[in-house]
Amino acid sequence: MKKRIFVIALFFSLPVFSTILWHQITGGFCVSKILIARELATSPRSTFGALPEKFEAPWTYLGKGRQTYVFLSSDGKYVIKFFRIHLTSRGVASHFDALRGSSLRKEPKKLGDWIESTFLAIDASPKKSGIVYFQPYGAKPSPLPSLTLVDALGRSYLLDGRNTSFLIQKKATLFKEVLDQCIRDKNSEKLGQCIAQYLLLQKRLLENGVMNKDPCPFRNTGVSENGEVFDLDVGRYTKHFDQKEWKALFDRLRHSLNRYVKKHWASCDDDRVLEAILKDLSSSKEKQIDAKVS
């Protein structure tokens, strides 16, 4: 009897475990999750930037974020990000993601919010967003060449870029990895410069009337091969905030970086470094700091 119950339980659990395993391997990606129905066209704006030279070469699956699926270009210089369209639905898939412990927000993602946030990042600081091309759905771009996507299992898909919304961003190293390397090398000068450029990025967004509501330096920030620091995740930019809210966020970021350096490099005079950075932020030396880092 016990053996029969075990066999029955195993029979019904196999589909569940196989589905979970498939999601772990592939990130749950399939082309239907990035194709946009025409009724979801929300942006009256045109495309931004220019396509990189090797746009038509295969893009290989790299991973997924809370809002996008990410693929790497063949030359390793760029990533292309597709909005996860299926998250705009309150269907079974969204609830399944939530049950699996996904970090998605409780409300469904909205394509229009993502498009608006991306344009805020571009308009506020086009040279500091790392974005080289953005196509909002609903725009009328010149004819796009088809692109090839290769998933985690090595399967290829030919996609008409006009049927989706995507952005192309410079490939970057996580800001946290750069900080860790500075700490391992005991390079306090470069460490201070990296932190300075990151804080300057947030300050310049404010000067343009924009705030990133999820500016985690350890998870959502990158450093390009040219030393540019920019937000990897541009999906939560907003114009709706006040100075008090921004100051609280800025102080939290500064203290978070301070604690991180203290924890991992006890011998670093990080208080002195950060005090010098904040002094520069409030003075006319911003251009000097930016020039040193870039």
Side-chain angles (χ1 to χ4, degrees), residues 55-57 59 80 82 145-149 157-161 166:
F55 177 76
E56 296 179 71
W59 296 77
I80 189 169
F82 297 92
S146 297
L147 67 153
T148 302
L149 303 180
Y157 306 87
L158 189 63
L159 180 68
D160 185 342
F166 63 89

Side-chain angles (χ1 to χ4, degrees), residues 21-197:
L21 180 62
W22 181 82
H23 272 79
Q24 290 295 325
I25 295 174
T26 66
F29 171 77
C30 62
V31 171
S32 63
K33 292 183 177 181
I34 62 174
L35 297 180
I36 303 175
R38 294 197 176 278
E39 60 268 20
L40 289 179
T42 55
S43 176
R45 297 189 56 167
S46 59
T47 58
F48 165 82
L51 294 171
E53 291 182 2
K54 297 185 178 181
F55 177 76
E56 296 179 71
W59 296 77
T60 306
Y61 182 78
L62 188 62
K64 69 177 180 180
R66 290 186 299 176
Q67 297 173 308
T68 59
Y69 287 111
V70 185
F71 292 77
L72 181 66
S73 64
S74 60
D75 58 8
K77 293 182 178 180
Y78 303 98
V79 293
I80 189 169
K81 299 180 179 181
F82 297 92
F83 184 77
R84 296 170 64 188
I85 303 300
H86 65 291
L87 298 180
T88 61
S89 169
R90 290 185 182 274
V92 176
S94 297
H95 292 295
F96 182 69
D97 281 339
L99 288 173
R100 290 191 303 111
S102 175
S103 59
L104 301 175
R105 286 182 288 173
K106 292 181 180 179
E107 71 274 12
K109 301 292 190 298
K110 294 181 179 179
L111 176 61
D113 291 343
W114 184 68
I115 290 174
E116 180 182 1
S117 178
T118 303
F119 271 121
L120 284 176
I122 292 170
D123 293 342
S125 186
K127 293 183 179 180
K128 295 294 182 181
S129 64
I131 299 172
V132 297
Y133 184 84
F134 178 52
Q135 178 181 295
Y137 191 79
K140 295 181 179 180
S142 56
L144 282 173
S146 297
L147 67 153
T148 302
L149 303 180
V150 180
D151 69 11
L153 297 177
R155 299 174 297 183
S156 297
Y157 306 87
L158 189 63
L159 180 68
D160 185 342
R162 295 172 296 180
N163 294 330
T164 187
S165 184
F166 63 89
L167 68 85
I168 299 177
Q169 199 172 32
K170 294 177 183 178
K171 177 71 170 65
T173 303
L174 277 176
F175 185 71
K176 178 181 179 296
E177 294 179 12
V178 176
L179 293 186
D180 289 343
Q181 187 62 53
C182 291
I183 291 172
R184 286 193 294 269
D185 296 342
K186 300 294 183 181
N187 191 337
S188 60
E189 181 179 1
K190 184 177 179 181
L191 177 69
Q193 290 172 357
C194 288
I195 294 174
Q197 192 177 8

Side-chain angles (χ1 to χ4, degrees), residues 195-209:
I195 294 174
Q197 192 177 8
Y198 172 74
L199 295 177
L200 277 171
L201 170 64
Q202 304 307 321
K203 184 173 184 290
R204 284 175 177 156
L205 288 176
L206 172 68
E207 292 171 350
N208 286 279

